[in-house]
Amino acid sequence: MIEVAVFGAGRIGRIHAENVSSNPQARLRYVVDEDPEVAKNVAEALGAEAVDEEVALGDSSVGAVVVASSTPSHVPLIMGAARAGKAIFCEKPIDLDLGRVDEALDVVERTQVPFMVGFNRRFDPSFAKVKADLAAGAVGRVELVSITSRDPRPPDADYLARSGGLFRDMMIHDLDMARWLLGEEPVAVSATASALVSPEASQLGDVDTAVVVLKAASGAIAHISNSRRAVYGYDQRIEVLGAHGMVEAGNWRQTTVRRWSEDGVAEDRPPYFFLERYREAYVRELSHFFAALSDDETPLLVGPHDGRQALALAEAALLALATGRTVDVREFERRR
Amino acid sequence: MIEVAVFGAGRIGRIHAENVSSNPQARLRYVVDEDPEVAKNVAEALGAEAVDEEVALGDSSVGAVVVASSTPSHVPLIMGAARAGKAIFCEKPIDLDLGRVDEALDVVERTQVPFMVGFNRRFDPSFAKVKADLAAGAVGRVELVSITSRDPRPPDADYLARSGGLFRDMMIHDLDMARWLLGEEPVAVSATASALVSPEASQLGDVDTAVVVLKAASGAIAHISNSRRAVYGYDQRIEVLGAHGMVEAGNWRQTTVRRWSEDGVAEDRPPYFFLERYREAYVRELSHFFAALSDDETPLLVGPHDGRQALALAEAALLALATGRTVDVREFERRR
Amino acid sequence: MIEVAVFGAGRIGRIHAENVSSNPQARLRYVVDEDPEVAKNVAEALGAEAVDEEVALGDSSVGAVVVASSTPSHVPLIMGAARAGKAIFCEKPIDLDLGRVDEALDVVERTQVPFMVGFNRRFDPSFAKVKADLAAGAVGRVELVSITSRDPRPPDADYLARSGGLFRDMMIHDLDMARWLLGEEPVAVSATASALVSPEASQLGDVDTAVVVLKAASGAIAHISNSRRAVYGYDQRIEVLGAHGMVEAGNWRQTTVRRWSEDGVAEDRPPYFFLERYREAYVRELSHFFAALSDDETPLLVGPHDGRQALALAEAALLALATGRTVDVREFERRR
Amino acid sequence: MIEVAVFGAGRIGRIHAENVSSNPQARLRYVVDEDPEVAKNVAEALGAEAVDEEVALGDSSVGAVVVASSTPSHVPLIMGAARAGKAIFCEKPIDLDLGRVDEALDVVERTQVPFMVGFNRRFDPSFAKVKADLAAGAVGRVELVSITSRDPRPPDADYLARSGGLFRDMMIHDLDMARWLLGEEPVAVSATASALVSPEASQLGDVDTAVVVLKAASGAIAHISNSRRAVYGYDQRIEVLGAHGMVEAGNWRQTTVRRWSEDGVAEDRPPYFFLERYREAYVRELSHFFAALSDDETPLLVGPHDGRQALALAEAALLALATGRTVDVREFERRR
């Protein structure tokens, strides 16, 4: 049984705390939040204790931490937890600055603590099945990956201001998916984007509608299509074309109901947003984390490099957007 | 907070115990099972106490019981719980004998305890949406109801021997759905059936493949198609045709994955069986039960009459099958 | 090249005339209609000649006739054509009276002319593929056949008065499908029906909503669900359950367009009615007819017995409806 | 009735000849082909005459020509037909060289003959419905257009050598669709491509897998995903996201059959290739052409500019691919 401290008791922290609490391999020991009242509420509901960071990291019985606090707090928490020898599960993004990410991961590497980034989509049952199919050779060599990812509505101005922009905040998930589905590193990135749906994004110099195209060394191509607004609900789809066919995973609907009338056939909407769509993925990513910690044979599937690389691609895409040029990713890394 | 005792700690009892345990309006107090070891395991995992029937029914702090033990024990438990003034949630069927059902419900009526039958399908989100659509007039007057209900594989001989046969054990759910979707009582029943897939059923004189047709006083018709074996998984579909169109609810799939190849397009199977398909329905039926107990304004949606009437239709269908005649349900009731 | 005379130049006759005209193995020679003007219009548009019955049947170069005139004219035309040695393609039903059908088919048998009934659904590409799948063992032994067949709107009073009623006019197609998909003769028939949607049908003592259940000697069951009104369009679906799974064929839609909005997902309607849905089937049934005539190796797939047997089942179903009893089909035949 | 000469009696010319022949507003008068035997076969089967170019263009009774011969012959035929005052329907591409296209269209403009390019997809019933929905405001302002277009298998080396390459030969359709669905001209183009599936394409310096991204002045973005090989069949899909939702049109299947088994659910493949998928579109594009010629009120929906502009975008995309830069389309035009 792994004793766990969860940092952050906001919307996503609470979900992680609940999933730790109901995980048979883990025990929720501490909840930490900058607002002690919030920490206390979550802790009490789940039979845990609300403490401050020092207590949580200082307790040697704590084997793992879940970092789900605000993005700027991630790096210091990672460094502190790594130095305290705790296994770390960190919500994406590790940080909005690639330099700081590298510093934090340096400490992780030196301390050799297990480290996993919360790229939840890899644990979505449908997306995971696509990946398993690819691994089993279902489409042969991968040639073309298509990722559609659209939020139901743009976030508010506050969130946008702290988000790091669409590429680092939203597309980072899709960039990770692209790497994962391609099965190799992208070597070239191009980007096209507009501010069409969110005046707040526009005012911040951010975009809300974007297409990014990635090319891998093998010649395989991935394209990502993002929008901050799909009024019909959270639109999350992937498809992978290869030599022997295509595998795709699409949207769920809220129910299986269909209404046939003179106007045609009406079906239900997709689940509203990420909390609904990825509910199962949130459970499974922590199950995987604790299973890997409990069993030396099970490797962690999403390591520090994955968290870093998705951000590097976001940076490269931003450069491509700014210059109107296809960015050579290796050149981009060399120049940093 | 309603204190609850769960009777029966087998497969379905355990699910109810867990759902009581995580329900914010209820508190799981006692688990009772004829095997004390089984009761203890379930109770301990959920922070409850394993006791015997007398203790559970004798504790005046217990406000409600969940009856999920073996079918023959339902009637005595219902009577005992009713006399002890507990609200009762009872798994289907109340009993396999209509006379005994009537006796038990007599006690329920005299003691005026809230009583609900576990017709879980009414709480399936898709089926519930169909019913809500009908109530909202989506198809106008109901004319034709079609219910398809197939198990993935036949039960074993032991289960079959105690089941009461396909009509009382399996179709009873569909007969309840037919009443619910028709929105009125069937007045005529005809039946056709065969033993095609289960030698054990055949040996017991039971059937495993059946079609029953019901007609209501308005002339609306419902037909139910049952099989004990659909190798592709639990097949649970309804459709309702009316003056303004049709509303249907179909099967979920295990994932949204599709594989396109030279051979065509391959999709995933439906969820395996009732525990997977109706997981959410099991949660919702107890939520409804506790919500109704907690709030005088909320009526119980599935009452004693519903549990009794589905069994009466099963009996009428058996008579129709035996005689090759359409059975007049009111005549059938008069003659009992 | 087979020279062909088409009898009847109404809606369905015109379609057959066009299909004969564009069939590479046939040549449309004559069009015959009780209204010479109508015959002339169709004939001229297709490069054929409008003549009367005597001319058409008297011309020894005519090898085949297509009987698509009004139902009462079928039997005399069949007898005349058979005696003239012509191959006969006859629209369903052969006649509304089983005795007259038997008389006509007697002549066909004695004259040994090839005879095919226009059960167009057998030539629908999707339904034909289901049958081919069954023949290839896709589901193993057939256990349960489900046929849904609904017209978009009830016919007018005139049509209804001459139709022979829902069982002989509309369900006859489904009864043929049931025999074809079961792969054996039904031995028992039960029926439930109502007049719910068409006051005209009701006034004529006819029904417009019906469920018929058929059982074969093997125990396999088929059920047919009919309505004269499905406001969303012509609803034509079949499914066949067997030991190894299910094969089904559903409705087409008018386009593949889907609209995703805040209200959900809207898709297109099915094709409006039989002329749209079975357009390809009309072409294919005549192709099959002419191919079989042109090649001694190719047997006619829908023979006189099929036309007769579907009507016999309609009669048996009517008896079942009138008596509220399951009708033993062999007993029914013996008593005629 | 418009008298028509069809140039080219190969695969696509034959289809046009048949569609002219069965069009009620047109009469197929002449078939012209460089192989007189081929011309004769097609002409005879359709009741037309096989003649040479001079006769066809010299006959003043001919009102319209259909140019479906080899691409290099298009420009001289267009010029000849325009000077002879014939209305022109020209298969895509007008020519592989933008300069020659401009010369040909100059003559068309000066002679004022009606001119239409065979962008058949605009006449696909599903795609046309998407466009109609957009025009009716179904999604509000267009923000993001996604076009997936994949052939079942790469063409042979001969075809590839004469094709002008993937961008001019295959993507030209999608570039036209992008302009049409965006409802405005793209102003920026970027391109990513690889040779992954066709060694022959690779040897010719051509690509077979490509993603092109277009941006319009409003900021709306379109992306096109092409592959020369989708072993599951011709994959033709579009989707348009806007302020109020999304409209999409997907693939048909060859039948509606579904097989449910222990392995999951198997559906049919899409239609094999363009002749099957766009059969109806070929009929409708000529219907539109003849309807517009017959009626001064009906404007031609696909004019000379459309044919030219799709090629210009293909050229711009090739430049983008060669330079790794986003190409400014107006700048590109100025520099030519």
Side-chain angles (χ1 to χ4, degrees), chain A residues 19 48 50 78-79 89 144 150 157 162 166 179-180 196 203 211 242 297 322 324:
Chain A
N19 290 339
I78 290 169
M79 289 176 167
F89 177 96
L144 204 39
R150 299 169 184 162
R162 288 173 291 110
L166 180 137
R179 289 180 63 240
W180 188 54
L196 296 174
Q203 246 171 325
V211 175
E297 306 284 299

Side-chain angles (χ1 to χ4, degrees), chain D residues 73-117:
Chain D
S73 69
H74 287 188
V75 165
L77 274 171
I78 290 168
M79 290 177 165
R83 285 174 185 135
K86 318 294 189 202
I88 301 167
F89 177 97
C90 181
E91 259 305 314
K92 68 95 225 178
I94 298 175
D95 193 84
L96 297 175
D97 181 85
L98 195 51
R100 277 167 58 82
V101 168
D102 285 340
E103 284 173 46
L105 297 184
D106 244 34
V107 179
V108 167
E109 200 180 348
R110 274 186 287 109
T111 55
Q112 298 268 330
V113 294
F115 181 94
M116 174 172 166
V117 178

Side-chain angles (χ1 to χ4, degrees), chain B residues 141 143-144 150 192-194 196-197 213 215 218-219 223 225 229 231 237 239 243-246 324-326, chain C residues 141 143-144 150 192-194 196-197 213 215 218-219 223 225 229 231-232 237 239 243-246 324-326:
Chain B
R141 193 176 68 162
E143 294 156 4
L144 203 40
R150 298 167 185 165
T192 306
S194 298
L196 296 174
V197 307
V213 184
K215 190 173 173 178
S218 72
H223 53 108
S225 168
R229 183 180 64 198
V231 297
R237 291 174 279 150
E239 57 180 71
H244 308 322
M246 172 171 66
R325 308 194 66 146
T326 299
Chain C
R141 192 176 69 162
E143 294 156 6
L144 204 39
R150 299 168 184 163
T192 305
S194 298
L196 296 173
V197 307
V213 184
K215 190 172 172 178
S218 72
H223 53 110
S225 168
R229 181 181 66 196
V231 297
Y232 50 89
R237 291 173 279 150
E239 59 180 69
H244 307 323
M246 172 171 66
R325 309 194 66 149
T326 300

Side-chain angles (χ1 to χ4, degrees), chain A residues 141-144 146 148 150 190-197 209-211 213-215 218-227 229-232 235 237 239-246 248 320-321 323-327, chain D residues 141-144 146 148 150 190-197 209-211 213-215 218-227 229-232 235 237 239-246 248 320-321 323-327:
Chain A
R141 193 176 67 164
V142 169
E143 294 157 4
L144 204 39
S146 173
T148 301
R150 299 169 184 162
S190 66
T192 305
S194 298
L196 296 174
V197 306
T209 306
V211 175
V213 184
L214 306 159
K215 189 174 175 178
S218 72
I221 300 170
H223 54 109
I224 295 167
S225 168
N226 274 177
S227 171
R229 183 182 62 197
V231 298
Y232 51 88
D235 192 351
R237 290 173 280 150
E239 57 179 73
V240 183
L241 176 72
H244 307 323
M246 173 170 66
E248 54 160 344
L321 184 63
T323 59
R325 309 194 65 148
T326 299
V327 169
Chain D
R141 192 176 69 161
V142 170
E143 294 157 4
L144 203 38
S146 172
T148 300
R150 299 169 184 162
S190 67
T192 305
S194 297
L196 295 174
V197 306
T209 306
V211 174
V213 184
L214 307 158
K215 191 173 173 177
S218 71
I221 300 171
H223 54 109
I224 295 167
S225 168
N226 273 177
S227 170
R229 183 183 63 198
V231 298
Y232 51 88
D235 192 351
R237 290 173 280 150
E239 57 179 71
V240 183
L241 176 72
H244 306 324
M246 173 171 65
E248 54 160 344
L321 184 64
T323 60
R325 306 195 66 148
T326 299
V327 169

